[in-house]
Amino acid sequence: MSLSLTQDDNTALFRKAWTLYDAISEKNYMFHREIYSHVTRMLQKRHELGAYHLLDLGCGNARFLAPCLQSAPPASYDGVDLSASALEEARSYLNGLSNTGLHHKDMLLAVEDTDSAFDIIFSGFAVHHLDAASKQRLFSACAEHLAPEGQFILVDVVREEGQTREQYLEAYLNCMRTQWTEVHPEHLAEACAHVESYDFPETLAELGQMAKRAGLSEPQVIDSYQQHHILRFTV
Ligand SMILES: C[S@@+](CC[C@H](N)C(=O)[O-])C[C@H]1O[C@@H](n2cnc3c(N)ncnc32)[C@H](O)[C@@H]1O
């Protein structure tokens, strides 16, 4: 789920949505704590093998990934986001990490246009905003720009097999309305509206098909917490 605007970078609106996303993720309703503990361990394992280059697609303010990098600092970090204000915040969260690049760009174009290869391409709760054709393009571009032994780590919401988008939304919105009890009702309504407009998750099988067509491995499910998954695809 994302509460940030994807195409509209109106700073005031973005800040409002971002503040809301930050508040919700702080309450751990989307299991950020558990998920990013896994990500830390995955990055530590890669770091033990030697220097690695990391690309973060839809990095937002990097608030959750930045702490993971402390024990597994990459040789370079490149974050991409459509929101200039999120990138501004990311600069301070990533303070102290060397060789960082923050790019105000669409993530699909960023990975398609780069001349670099990455050992890890990471994306947290951003890919579900893309339509199916763009997700396929993203998988293909990731496959093309992963170094040998590279990994695409995808943290995102996933639909159940056979579940339509409408059924997924009904279930997710119901969960938000009944379990996200500490969110102010007005903010909850705003968050629900964002999910209804911007969330287009795929099933695991659909993601697997996209990965296969791109020449990547089957998805490895590292763990899942309700709809929120940590997946790994390798070259
Ligand atoms: C829910 S936030 C996730 C932020 C962070 N990755 C995390 O895991 O907490 C989704 C982010 O993806 C960005 N985003 C959405 N669509 C994008 C696109 N096509 N290109 C670049 N960034 C995008 C949004 O601006 C937002 O910052």
Side-chain angles (χ1 to χ4, degrees):
M1 188 205 69
S2 173
L3 306 172
S4 59
L5 300 175
T6 52
Q7 302 298 330
D8 181 353
D9 195 26
N10 177 300
T11 303
L13 273 175
F14 178 83
R15 279 199 192 285
K16 198 172 166 211
W18 189 260
T19 306
L20 185 51
Y21 177 70
D22 244 15
I24 285 166
S25 46
E26 199 152 43
K27 299 281 180 209
N28 207 37
Y29 291 129
M30 293 167 67
F31 303 94
H32 280 76
R33 228 173 280 145
E34 294 82 352
I35 287 172
Y36 278 88
S37 297
H38 280 289
V39 173
T40 300
R41 288 193 288 278
M42 293 166 88
L43 297 180
Q44 283 169 343
K45 278 194 183 148
R46 180 57 190 84
H47 182 252
E48 283 163 14
L49 298 176
Y52 74 102
H53 297 272
L54 172 62
L55 175 64
D56 183 5
L57 300 173
C59 61
N61 64 3
R63 176 186 170 179
F64 290 95
L65 191 64
C68 307
L69 305 181
Q70 282 170 9
S71 58
S76 68
Y77 168 91
D78 284 279
V80 179
D81 205 282
L82 277 176
S83 166
S85 34
L87 293 170
E88 211 178 282
E89 288 184 24
R91 203 168 294 287
S92 52
Y93 280 108
L94 294 163
N95 190 23
L97 196 71
S98 35
N99 298 323
T100 56
L102 291 168
H103 312 275
H104 185 208
K105 208 170 170 181
D106 181 277
M107 61 183 168
L108 178 55
L109 299 180
V111 73
E112 282 182 341
D113 292 350
T114 184
D115 292 328
S116 309
F118 299 89
D119 300 291
I120 298 205
I121 299 179
F122 172 82
S123 184
F125 294 118
V127 170
H128 66 272
H129 292 306
L130 303 176
D131 62 25
S134 300
K135 288 189 193 94
Q136 180 64 68
R137 274 175 60 189
L138 188 87
F139 270 95
S140 300
C142 286
E144 204 172 314
H145 294 284
L146 276 171
E149 316 283 322
Q151 307 173 34
F152 175 32
I153 300 174
L154 178 62
V155 167
D156 215 347
V157 282
V158 169
R159 272 192 289 125
E160 286 169 26
E161 300 306 326
Q163 191 180 40
T164 63
R165 178 175 182 260
E166 289 65 34
Q167 289 165 338
Y168 164 88
L169 286 177
E170 196 184 328
Y172 200 93
L173 294 174
N174 181 53
C175 169
M176 289 171 76
R177 288 177 183 131
T178 55
Q179 293 175 21
W180 296 20
T181 50
E182 288 182 51
V183 182
H184 187 282
E186 196 185 308
H187 295 160
L188 187 64
E190 199 183 323
C192 289
H194 273 277
V195 168
E196 264 184 301
S197 307
Y198 297 118
D199 281 22
F200 298 91
E202 306 293 338
T203 65
L204 196 56
E206 285 164 344
L207 292 171
Q209 283 301 315
M210 289 177 185
K212 190 174 177 186
R213 283 193 286 267
L216 291 173
S217 71
E218 288 276 301
Q220 182 189 354
V221 181
I222 304 298
D223 215 334
S224 62
Y225 302 89
Q226 298 174 359
Q227 296 91 338
H228 317 85
H229 286 57
I230 311 149
L231 307 175
R232 173 165 41 201
F233 302 87
T234 51
V235 287

